[in-house]
Amino acid sequence: MKHLVVDISAHGFGHVAQTSAVLNALDCTNIRLTIRSSAAERVLRERIRHPFTLISYQQDAGMLMHDALRVDVAASMRWYADFHANYAARKAQAARELAQLQPDLLFANVPYLSLDAAGECGIPAITLCSLNWADVFHTYCGGLPGAARIREEILHAYTQAECFLQPTPSMDMHPAIRTQPIAPIAALGKRNPAWLRQQAGLPNHTRFVLVALGGLGMEYPLENWPRIPGVCWIFPDVALTQARADFLPTSLFALPYVDLLASCDAVMTKTGYGTQTEAVVNQVPTLCINRPGWPEEPNLPDWHAQHGELILTDWQTIQAGTFAQQILALLEMPWRKPLVFPNGAQQAAERLLNRITSL
């Protein structure tokens, strides 16, 4: 039986969403899976349908964030400077840890340390993501002292992968990375708005807006949140610091995230691969908060506008609570775009299966 080691960044939920879709499309009849990540085990086991061994393992920090929208540039630079101060020793240790697992293939989204380790061990590696930390780091920290050396070390790690699978739409990447475009990766949910109304005990005309800004904490301006007749807002449980009849926790519905998204009438999110692509393929109109400077802009919003129903806004508008008209426009917006088929997971799974069976 072949052994596939899968390393997943825990910077938000998008990396788990992309990777789980690929693994779920992979024929694991003769493959043993080991997942290494510091993402929550509950999230990983909810998303990944195959049995796997989990190793709690952090290899990257992505970018340190003030919240889901704002990068903490100074803290990020401190983390990278510390991480790379003894990078050769870290790489050697990571190589020893990877070699002990005796994998046939490494699949990474998108930590770079294990890719460097795989290069040291002679273990083939394939990477997949809509972004990479070398270019994200350079965007925010590139002008700071010591950043050029750090970026070069990160880039070198990414070049150890045989290929870097880029699901559509991806950020522009450094030409040294061996990229290979593939179709979008997104999960298809089961639409059941009647279940939402039943669980909430609300009438048939009720419409639901999912508030989904990712896995990093936000202080929502609930005191300014608009009230819209016939509309209920579904928040992450931890965000509900105020009680209101039209505020509902996600746990009330006991649904997988993608089924909850598909059952809603609209979603509020930020620029980010997971929710935006899932909103498109499940045909859920979207209010998207811009993230000025984030490297996935403008590629991701442009693609979303082309293939889905999208209204862009900013965090200042959300803080002021003046977005009711934008939500109402989405709720009345007919879906005019053709269905998008997210075949990227199947394409990536085929690439993985062909490679691991050739070893």
Side-chain angles (χ1 to χ4, degrees):
M1 181 172 284
K2 300 294 187 180
H3 186 197
L4 178 64
V5 170
V6 183
D7 287 343
I8 308 175
S9 172
H11 187 270
F13 290 151
H15 304 280
V16 173
Q18 289 176 357
T19 310
S20 61
V22 174
L23 295 179
N24 291 339
L26 181 65
D27 180 359
C28 287
T29 305
N30 296 306
I31 296 174
R32 176 167 61 94
L33 286 180
T34 296
I35 308 294
R36 300 195 300 178
S37 181
S38 58
E41 181 172 0
R42 174 190 59 80
V43 174
L44 291 166
R45 296 203 182 275
E46 176 185 288
R47 284 278 190 163
I48 300 169
R49 294 196 290 267
H50 299 298
F52 60 86
T53 299
L54 177 62
I55 298 174
S56 181
Y57 197 68
Q58 181 177 3
Q59 302 181 73
D60 68 350
M63 298 301 290
L64 277 67
M65 310 292 291
H66 292 293
D67 51 41
L69 293 171
R70 297 177 299 139
V71 172
D72 188 332
V73 174
S76 296
M77 186 62 207
R78 287 194 298 271
W79 187 91
Y80 277 95
D82 177 72
F83 191 79
H84 284 261
N86 58 347
Y87 185 72
R90 289 186 189 276
K91 179 166 66 173
Q93 176 63 26
R96 289 191 292 270
E97 292 168 348
L98 183 62
Q100 287 172 0
L101 295 174
Q102 297 182 307
D104 295 285
L105 180 67
L106 174 70
F107 180 42
N109 184 339
V110 67
Y112 58 88
L113 178 60
S114 62
L115 295 171
D116 242 350
E120 291 285 299
C121 298
I123 294 169
I126 292 175
T127 310
L128 176 142
C129 196
S130 54
L131 55 79
N132 72 78
W133 295 130
D135 289 321
V136 174
F137 170 78
H138 179 69
T139 297
Y140 287 98
C141 302
L144 299 176
R149 175 185 60 83
I150 292 171
R151 186 198 190 194
E152 286 304 313
E153 289 180 341
I154 302 173
L155 276 174
H156 177 267
Y158 282 128
T159 64
Q160 301 307 296
E162 293 180 350
C163 70
F164 193 122
L165 301 174
Q166 277 190 294
T168 302
S170 287
M171 65 177 281
D172 297 330
M173 297 193 184
H174 193 281
I177 300 173
R178 292 190 284 268
T179 57
Q180 178 182 332
I182 58 175
I185 293 177
L188 290 167
K190 298 176 182 177
R191 179 167 172 77
N192 190 357
W195 173 258
L196 303 190
R197 293 190 290 268
Q198 176 185 326
Q199 292 302 106
L202 293 168
N204 289 339
H205 67 267
T206 305
R207 293 182 288 184
F208 296 90
V209 179
L210 179 63
V211 182
L213 297 187
L216 299 166
M218 288 291 296
E219 292 187 10
Y220 293 90
L222 299 181
E223 66 282 357
N224 293 333
W225 213 263
R227 297 176 187 264
I228 304 175
V231 172
C232 282
W233 309 87
I234 302 175
F235 287 90
D237 288 40
V238 295
L240 285 180
T241 56
Q242 291 188 23
R244 220 171 80 177
D246 59 340
F247 288 172
L248 303 173
T250 57
S251 61
L252 174 65
F253 305 100
L255 288 174
Y257 171 80
V258 70
D259 292 345
L260 180 61
L261 170 65
S263 300
C264 286
D265 300 279
V267 61
M268 175 190 294
T269 190
K270 67 179 189 302
T271 300
Y273 192 93
T275 299
Q276 285 197 260
T277 55
E278 288 176 343
V280 167
V281 302
N282 289 286
Q283 298 193 325
V284 180
T286 303
L287 180 64
C288 185
I289 303 166
N290 286 320
R291 298 170 71 183
W294 185 252
E296 289 182 290
E297 293 193 358
N299 296 17
L300 184 49
D302 286 352
W303 178 88
H304 194 159
Q306 181 180 355
H307 297 282
E309 303 301 342
L310 174 70
I311 293 177
L312 297 173
T313 188
D314 54 48
W315 184 238
Q316 290 72 27
T317 300
I318 304 302
Q319 287 179 310
T322 55
F323 55 93
Q325 290 304 314
Q326 293 173 315
I327 291 294
L328 285 169
L330 286 171
L331 293 174
E332 300 303 325
M333 190 176 288
W335 195 275
R336 297 167 294 218
K337 307 295 174 60
L339 187 65
V340 172
F341 296 97
N343 298 324
Q346 288 75 20
Q347 293 173 355
E350 181 178 346
R351 178 64 184 262
L352 289 177
L353 186 62
N354 289 342
R355 188 65 182 99
I356 200 167
T357 54
S358 72
L359 296 168

